[in-house]
Amino acid sequence: MSTHAVPRAESDPWIDPDQVREPLNALYAELDSEIAALGPVCLLSGRCCRFQEYGHRLYVSEVEATVLLADAPPPSRPLDDGATCPWQDEHGRCGAREARPLGCRVYFCDPNYDGHAELLTERFLARIRLLVETLGLPWNYASLHHHLHAAVSSGRRRIEVADHGDSEAKADRPDAVPVWEALDISPSDQ
């Protein structure tokens, strides 16, 4: 696949996943290799996907969201307002493991890994940005849920949206985020 492309018209909001999949997956493979060399351990606590509960938010670029939406299976649960990842299953596992974006790939709760995620994120995010600029695509770095809601509202992806049933967002309630028992897995099973 060539990394030279004719820039899209500004009015065209859709990115062809086939245009970005191969170079993005090559970057992901390199990142995954560097992370494996560092050896962080995942205990499947599910903290990485329970954004509101643990006080973090997942940001992704437009190309990452495009590949995620094209290649991931249907989400395990309804799309909320950013409290959780819709691909986390009832056991705390990722249902979009192969298509997961950079932010998911670098996140580990392992205290021995502290500081590495930030450095890897900055390096590889710069490389994704260069890819986007080379292809003449929009960067649109925003929260995962921004991209998911945009895909739903544009009709590009069908994802069940959580029905809050009242003016108070269910995601703002303490009972909105399910809690899973941590499962211990070896690094090779990540």
Side-chain angles (χ1 to χ4, degrees):
M1 183 180 106
S2 169
T3 58
H4 300 292
V6 176
R8 301 172 327 133
E10 289 298 320
S11 61
D12 182 6
W14 186 76
I15 296 174
D16 181 359
D18 292 335
Q19 181 183 15
V20 296
R21 182 179 291 110
E22 185 179 321
L24 188 59
N25 283 339
L27 284 172
Y28 286 163
E30 188 178 334
L31 172 65
D32 292 346
S33 177
E34 288 194 34
I35 291 170
L38 292 168
V41 176
C42 176
L43 298 177
L44 263 179
S45 68
R47 286 182 262 183
C48 50
C49 302
R50 297 191 329 251
F51 309 132
Q52 181 179 357
E53 183 179 351
Y54 288 96
H56 59 266
R57 185 176 287 198
L58 175 61
Y59 284 88
V60 299
S61 63
E62 183 84 20
V63 296
E64 292 177 281
T66 296
V67 171
L68 173 65
L69 288 168
D71 294 354
S76 303
R77 64 168 159 255
L79 179 59
D80 58 31
D81 293 323
T84 63
C85 178
W87 281 280
Q88 186 180 40
D89 71 15
E90 67 276 1
H91 302 291
R93 294 186 181 109
C94 177
R97 187 114 186 113
E98 294 302 314
R100 73 194 189 285
L102 173 83
C104 298
R105 291 169 189 273
V106 300
Y107 187 93
F108 286 85
C109 301
D110 184 345
N112 296 319
Y113 179 74
D114 283 351
H116 292 288
E118 296 83 359
L119 297 172
L120 289 168
T121 298
E122 292 304 317
R123 254 186 47 233
F124 280 87
L125 200 56
R127 291 179 60 191
I128 293 171
R129 179 105 191 213
L130 180 60
L131 170 68
V132 165
E133 290 171 359
T134 301
L135 295 173
L137 299 172
W139 178 237
N140 194 10
Y141 195 64
S143 75
L144 170 66
H145 285 71
H146 167 84
H147 290 290
L148 297 179
H149 283 287
V152 168
S153 66
S154 71
R156 287 183 289 134
R157 181 70 183 233
R158 293 181 54 91
I159 301 173
E160 182 184 346
V161 177
D163 179 16
H164 303 304
D166 59 37
S167 60
E168 179 187 0
K170 182 178 179 184
D172 292 335
R173 291 190 219 135
D175 64 337
V177 181
V179 176
W180 295 277
E181 184 178 318
L183 300 173
D184 188 4
I185 63 170
S186 70
S188 62
D189 290 340
Q190 295 180 38

